[in-house]
């Protein structure tokens, strides 16, 4: 009777939780895809000067995702409260005390940084050279990150891998936001919106919508499992044996772990290369050194943090980096928005409410340029140019990729409890929205400045920033990266620059130059431009830190410790992890120095690789008890393999696009194949063993694992898990019947 009562309570909790997730995801999908589907009709309506269709995708949908997570957390915590028989769920006192201490530290840190920026503004006013100010920004920020790395150094495995599992939700949210808002987002997002207009909003919708999947489908269950890495979860979930043709029966979890690590390496290294590339762009511009040298120089700040303190140092460094990057991103946008007087707003500092008039001015200027002969044809900035299927495919891949990236999911291993993990996801999205809701305004202000004050101007009066960024290959005039008026005149084959008016097709600006160039484009003080460089550097380094840790931890923990030397001491494992950090960082720098693509495209490739390789295994592993090791292995090989093949073929092999789908949405092919292979093979082979089914049940069971554990209890559990893992290597059975007897029929 007691067992029946417990089972009934457990199913009630799981059943209510599952229904809530389904309801949330139905609403999420309806808004994420329904509103963009109506863009042509809703763009005819106006709100505060905005075409409503554009505004829905740029501002309304991301905000709705944040509100949806707040509702989900509230209802889910109510379900959990019912399981506690009226007893309140109280976070550990140590976590609350740490939260108070960190709040004081980072408030003081923010005040110090603001004072430093004001001091540099004073130096600019008294005549200090611009380059000196740029160097001071870079040196100060790198020095701060190195200092935090030194202060947070550790030799404990729990601190190194998961920051001691005691990071408060709000600070883990800030760290995740910094980890997430990579140099590609900081440097490339506004540039992509500048270049693509409405179609670029697929990135904002996809990346913000992905956090709904993280919170509802994956993160709480991974935190409840309590692993160090994503491959470790996949190896534990997908245990099982298979009989080889010679009669030998081998354990499959090691192969599943190996494949999961390969997926992690492929997506994380691609993503890491994009961050190092962004670092090189920023350092080369503001210190004035060659791009290839700047790429390797930027690694210093990364390695200081990750080498000394692992996840603990990286977490607290990323919080500091978030403060810098968000100040750096919003201050120029606010400065530009306060100058707007468009009939709807006047001197309004809330940038995401102000740029409606700017969008209308862009539309008018587009028509004017055609009439004046400055452009033969201009694709409207506010209207979709892609096919609807292309927009939805990219949005879908970015959403699913967000919920599959190992370095993002690792962040939720660091919270004190499952409830903290969910709250942390909501905080993450809230902090991310501050930047993503500013990016469309940033792009619009820059677009109008270029259309108005550069296009149609004589070559002889081109602004200096065109030549400054031409030196590092981020701008070109008439097909050449020019550094002076004379070179521009020569490039355009004109006898004089005074008579030739620059046409729209003559000027090319790299997507990666737009954010760091916009303060100069808008004529803001150089201190603001230096501030933006510091923010971009913070964004690139924070994500590079997380990616390096994800890669090195997977290689040292999942490959070396789990598959090669399971008796290695903690000290030896940490040493190997640190050596791998340096090697991987150098490899990424070497790849980035070759300038393989723009940063945002490289990031999109990483999302597709993560989505096709990880998402089916993670989702089915949590939500479908019948999924087994053979199915997971087949799903990873087929789904990830197809995505990688399409990427390599279209980028380097000269392949035609399949159905016209861009390679930035490559997972649209691999993801369904991965799901289908996992499900079909799982159904055709034996169910998972009893111990795996029990583990899946425990992930869904609030009564057993819903309450917080102390650090000592977590350490004890981890030691027992590692001891058990050493005894379960290569379990061999003599007959297929013995294997079948060790399994049971499973149901959802």
């Amino acid at each position: 009777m007691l067992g029946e009562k417990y089972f009934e309570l457990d199913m009630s909790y799981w059943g209510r939780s599952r229904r809530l997730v389904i309801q949330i995801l139905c609403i999420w999908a309806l808004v994420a895809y329904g509103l963009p589907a109506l863009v042509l009709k809703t763009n005819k309506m106006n709100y505060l000067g905005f075409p409503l269709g554009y505004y829905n995708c740029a501002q309304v949908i991301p905000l709705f995702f944040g509100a949806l997570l707040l509702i989900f957390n509230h209802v889910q915590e109510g379900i959990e409260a019912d399981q506690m028989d009226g007893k309140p769920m109280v976070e550990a006192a140590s976590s609350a005390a740490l939260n108070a201490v960190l709040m004081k530290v980072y408030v003081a840190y923010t005040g110090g940084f603001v004072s430093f920026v004001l001091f540099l503004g004073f130096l600019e006013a008294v005549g200090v050279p611009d380059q000196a100010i740029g160097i001071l920004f870079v040196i100060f920020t790198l020095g701060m990150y190195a200092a935090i790395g030194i202060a947070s150094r550790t030799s404990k495995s729990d601190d190194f891998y998961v920051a001691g599992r005691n990071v408060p939700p709000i600070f883990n949210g800030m760290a995740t936001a910094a980890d997430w808002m990579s140099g590609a987002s900081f440097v490339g997002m506004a540039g992509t919106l500048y270049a693509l207009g409405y179609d670029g909003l697929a990135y904002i919708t996809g990346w913000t919508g992905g956090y709904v999947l993280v919170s509802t489908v994956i993160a709480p269950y991974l935190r409840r499992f309590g692993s160090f890495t994503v491959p470790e979860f996949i190896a534990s979930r997908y245990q099982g044996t298979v009989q080889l043709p010679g009669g030998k029966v081998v354990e499959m979890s090691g192969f599943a772990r190996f494949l999961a690590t390969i997926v992690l390496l492929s997506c994380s290294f691609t993503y890491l290369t994009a961050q190092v590339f962004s670092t090189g762009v920023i350092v080369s511009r503001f210190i004035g050194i060659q791009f290839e040298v700047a790429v390797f120089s930027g690694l210093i700040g990364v390695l200081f943090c990750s080498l000394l303190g692992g996840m603990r140092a990286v977490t607290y460094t990323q919080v500091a980096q978030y403060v810098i990057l968000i100040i750096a991103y919003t201050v120029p946008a606010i400065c530009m928005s306060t100058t707007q007087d468009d009939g709807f707003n006047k001197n309004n500092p809330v940038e995401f409410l102000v740029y409606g008039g700017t969008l209308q001015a862009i539309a008018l200027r587009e028509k004017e340029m055609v009439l004046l002969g400055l452009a033969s044809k201009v694709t409207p900035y506010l209207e979709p140019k892609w096919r609807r299927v292309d927009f939805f495919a990219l949005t879908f891949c970015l959403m699913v990729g967000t919920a599959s990236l190992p370095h993002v999911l690792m962040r939720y291993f660091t919270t004190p409890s499952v409830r903290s993990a969910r709250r942390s996801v909501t905080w993450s999205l809230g902090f991310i929205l501050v930047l993503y809701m500013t990016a469309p305004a940033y792009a619009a202000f820059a677009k109008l400045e270029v259309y108005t004050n550069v296009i149609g101007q004589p070559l002889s009066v081109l602004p200096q920033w065109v030549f400054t960024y031409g030196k590092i290959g981020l701008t070109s005039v008439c097909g050449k990266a020019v550094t002076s008026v004379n070179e521009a005149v020569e490039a355009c084959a004109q006898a004089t620059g005074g008579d030739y008016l620059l046409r729209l097709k003559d000027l090319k600006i790299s997507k990666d130059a737009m954010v760091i160039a916009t303060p100069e484009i808008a004529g803001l003080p150089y201190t603001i431009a230096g501030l933006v460089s510091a923010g971009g550097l913070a964004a690139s380094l924070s994500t590079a830190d997380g990616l390096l840790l994800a890669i090195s931890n997977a290689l040292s923990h999942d490959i070396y410790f789990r598959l090669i030397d399971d008796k290695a001491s903690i000290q030896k494992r940490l040493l190997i992890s640190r050596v791998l950090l340096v090697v991987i960082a150098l490899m990424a720098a070497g790849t980035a120095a070759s300038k393989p693509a723009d940063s945002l495209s490289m990031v999109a490739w990483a999302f597709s690789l993560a989505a096709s390789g990880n998402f089916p295994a993670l989702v089915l592993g949590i939500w479908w008890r019948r999924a087994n090791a053979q199915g997971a292995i087949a799903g990873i090989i087929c789904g990830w393999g197809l995505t990688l093949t399409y990427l390599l073929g279209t980028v380097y092999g000269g392949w035609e696009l399949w159905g016209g789908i861009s390679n930035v949405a490559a997972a649209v092919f691999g993801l369904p194949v991965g799901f289908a292979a996992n499900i079909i093979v799982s159904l055709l082979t034996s169910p998972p063993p009893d111990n795996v089914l029990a583990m899946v049940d425990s992930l869904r069971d609030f009564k057993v694992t819903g309450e917080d554990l102390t650090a000592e209890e977590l350490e004890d559990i981890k030691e027992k898990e590692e001891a058990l893992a050493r005894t379960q290597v290569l379990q061999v059975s003599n007959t297929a019947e013995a294997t079948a007897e060790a399994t049971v029929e499973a149901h959802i």
Side-chain angles (χ1 to χ4, degrees):
M1 294 296 293
L2 181 62
E4 290 177 2
K5 182 179 179 182
Y6 174 76
F7 184 78
E8 195 173 38
L9 281 173
D10 177 54
M11 290 303 293
S12 174
Y13 168 74
W14 173 244
R16 291 173 66 188
S17 298
R18 183 171 55 186
R19 284 193 299 274
L20 174 62
V21 168
I22 292 171
Q23 291 165 356
I24 291 292
L25 291 182
C26 287
I27 297 170
W28 163 82
L30 181 64
V31 173
Y33 296 99
L35 290 181
L38 300 173
V39 64
L40 291 177
K41 294 182 179 179
T42 52
N43 253 356
K44 297 175 183 178
M45 309 174 193
N46 275 286
Y47 172 73
L48 295 178
F50 291 94
L52 188 58
Y54 185 95
Y55 193 75
N56 281 340
C57 291
Q59 321 290 163
V60 174
I61 293 177
L63 277 177
F64 180 82
F65 291 149
L68 199 60
L69 283 189
L70 289 174
I71 294 170
F72 170 70
N73 285 347
H74 177 74
V75 178
Q76 184 63 45
E77 289 178 13
I79 294 173
E80 292 171 354
D82 291 343
Q83 303 297 308
M84 296 293 292
D85 298 324
K87 297 178 182 178
M89 291 184 63
V90 182
E91 294 289 348
S94 59
S95 178
L98 179 60
N99 188 74
V101 171
L102 291 175
M103 194 67 72
K104 293 178 182 178
V105 169
Y106 284 108
V107 167
Y109 166 82
T110 303
F113 179 71
V114 171
S115 299
F116 174 72
V117 174
L118 294 175
F119 172 69
L120 291 185
F122 169 76
L123 293 182
E124 180 182 5
V126 298
V128 173
D130 290 350
Q131 189 170 2
I133 292 174
I135 291 172
L136 285 174
F137 262 119
V138 173
I139 291 175
F140 174 81
T141 52
L142 288 179
M144 284 297 301
Y145 307 150
I148 294 173
I150 294 171
S152 304
R153 62 188 181 277
T154 183
S155 59
K156 292 177 62 178
S157 61
D158 212 40
D159 282 341
F160 191 88
Y161 288 118
V162 288
R165 299 193 196 275
N166 67 348
V167 182
I170 185 171
F171 291 101
N172 195 55
M174 292 178 74
T176 305
D179 201 346
W180 172 257
M181 289 188 301
S182 59
S185 286
F186 188 99
V187 173
M189 176 61 77
T192 297
L193 292 173
Y194 174 95
L196 299 180
Y198 171 82
D199 293 327
L201 296 176
Y203 286 94
I204 291 180
T205 304
W207 280 339
T208 54
Y211 276 88
V212 178
L213 288 177
V214 173
S215 184
T216 58
V217 178
I218 294 178
Y221 305 99
L222 292 185
R223 175 59 189 88
R224 183 166 287 160
F225 178 72
S227 63
F228 280 164
T229 65
V230 171
E232 184 174 19
F233 169 79
I234 289 178
S236 298
R237 169 60 180 87
Y238 293 110
Q239 299 175 44
T241 56
V242 64
Q243 187 174 16
L244 300 179
K248 184 179 181 181
V249 179
V250 297
E251 174 65 36
M252 299 292 289
S253 64
F255 191 39
R257 184 191 296 272
F258 175 76
L259 287 177
T261 305
I262 294 298
V263 172
L264 182 149
L265 292 174
S266 67
C267 61
S268 297
F269 188 80
T270 305
Y271 207 155
L272 176 62
T273 301
Q275 308 320 307
V276 179
F277 178 89
S278 299
T279 301
V281 169
I282 294 165
V283 174
S284 63
R285 163 65 186 94
F286 288 96
I287 293 187
I289 58 179
Q290 189 177 354
F291 173 79
E292 290 75 12
V293 177
V295 163
F296 286 92
S297 302
L299 294 179
I300 297 173
V302 178
L303 293 175
F304 248 106
C305 298
S306 47
L307 276 174
L308 293 173
M311 181 62 84
R312 181 183 175 188
V314 165
T315 296
Y316 296 122
T317 303
Q318 285 174 336
V319 175
Q321 288 165 331
Y322 178 81
V323 171
I324 292 179
L325 74 87
I326 208 63
I327 291 174
Y329 204 88
T330 55
V331 166
I334 290 171
C335 290
M336 289 185 285
S337 70
T338 55
T339 65
Q340 304 300 308
D341 183 4
D342 53 22
F344 299 97
N345 291 277
K346 183 175 182 180
N347 307 128
N348 188 340
V350 185
E351 68 280 354
F352 60 84
L353 295 177
V354 172
Y355 68 101
T358 303
L359 294 176
Q360 292 191 5
I362 290 172
L364 291 174
R365 180 59 177 167
E366 288 171 342
K367 297 176 182 178
E368 188 178 63
M369 288 190 295
V370 174
L371 292 174
L372 295 175
L374 299 173
S376 57
K377 181 181 179 181
V378 179
T379 305
Y381 184 73
L382 301 176
E383 296 179 10
K385 296 167 279 297
W386 295 349
R387 298 176 304 168
R388 201 72 55 87
V389 66
D390 296 325
F391 187 94
F392 289 150
L394 178 57
T395 300
F396 176 72
C397 290
L398 296 176
M399 285 177 171
V400 177
T402 298
S404 310
L405 283 175
H407 78 283
V408 173
L409 296 178
M410 278 176 61
R411 289 246 45 98
Y412 304 109
F413 298 158
T414 67
T415 58
S417 67
V418 174
R419 183 177 66 161
S420 295
R422 279 197 307 268
R423 290 184 173 183
S424 182
V425 178
T426 306
W427 279 112
S428 302
L429 181 56
F431 288 124
I432 289 167
L433 285 177
V434 178
L435 186 144
Y436 278 7
M437 292 186 66
T438 302
Y442 216 118
F445 293 147
K447 190 85 168 179
L448 186 60
E449 285 286 341
V450 171
Y451 275 5
T452 304
N453 298 322
V454 181
I455 305 302
Q457 299 298 315
L459 296 179
S460 58
V461 297
L462 288 180
Q464 181 59 39
W465 63 265
V466 173
F467 308 124
T468 300
Y469 288 93
K471 293 177 182 177
I472 52 178
L474 296 180
T475 59
S476 66
V477 174
C478 296
K480 293 184 179 180
V482 299
T483 61
S484 67
V485 170
N486 289 337
E487 290 183 12
V489 170
E490 182 180 347
C492 296
Q494 298 298 312
T496 171
D499 299 330
Y500 182 79
L501 301 182
L502 190 72
R503 296 170 298 175
L504 181 61
K505 69 176 184 178
D506 296 334
L507 179 67
K508 302 295 181 184
I509 306 174
S510 168
K511 298 174 186 176
D512 295 320
M514 186 50 58
V515 166
I516 56 176
T518 293
E520 295 166 88
I521 293 173
L524 297 176
Y526 186 82
T527 299
I528 301 296
L531 175 63
V532 171
S533 75
L537 195 59
S540 298
L541 296 182
S542 61
T543 305
D545 280 331
L547 290 164
L548 277 173
L549 272 182
I551 296 171
S552 64
N553 288 356
L555 290 175
S556 64
H557 182 75
D558 291 296
I559 299 297
Y560 181 77
F561 176 59
R562 293 299 192 188
L563 301 180
I564 298 175
D565 183 5
D566 63 351
K567 295 181 175 59
S569 66
I570 289 176
Q571 289 74 21
K572 186 175 182 180
R573 288 153 56 193
L574 294 183
L575 175 62
I576 289 172
S577 183
R578 284 165 171 147
V579 170
L580 288 169
L581 278 172
V582 177
V583 173
I584 295 161
L586 292 174
M587 291 173 59
T591 306
S594 66
K595 301 181 180 179
D598 67 87
S599 60
L600 212 62
S601 293
M602 287 188 278
V603 167
W605 299 343
F607 277 73
S608 279
L609 291 170
S612 58
N614 283 336
F615 194 72
L618 290 172
V619 170
L620 294 176
I622 294 167
W623 292 84
W624 190 42
R625 296 174 81 243
R626 187 60 174 79
N628 64 14
Q630 295 94 321
I633 290 169
I636 293 173
I637 291 174
C638 294
W640 176 80
L642 179 60
T643 299
L644 181 65
T645 301
Y646 184 66
L647 273 174
L648 294 177
T650 54
V651 176
Y652 301 108
W655 291 9
E656 294 291 329
L657 297 178
W658 297 351
I661 300 294
S662 170
N663 53 46
V664 295
V668 78
F669 301 110
L671 187 64
V673 170
F675 268 109
N678 192 321
I679 294 170
I680 292 170
V681 174
S682 291
L683 292 174
L684 293 176
T685 51
S686 300
D690 283 341
N691 65 311
V692 171
L693 294 174
M695 187 197 82
V696 175
D697 290 338
S698 73
L699 292 178
R700 307 170 174 186
D701 182 5
F702 178 80
K703 279 289 186 181
V704 174
T705 57
E707 298 180 9
D708 292 339
L709 299 176
T710 66
E712 292 77 13
E713 289 171 326
L714 287 168
E715 187 67 29
D716 181 59
I717 289 173
K718 181 56 62 180
E719 289 175 359
K720 290 177 181 177
E721 287 176 349
E722 292 180 354
L724 181 62
R726 295 190 185 100
T727 67
Q728 293 181 336
V729 178
L730 293 179
Q731 298 176 351
V732 180
S733 173
N734 291 327
T735 65
E737 290 181 34
T739 302
E741 291 173 358
T743 62
V744 293
E745 191 67 26
H747 303 281
I748 296 177

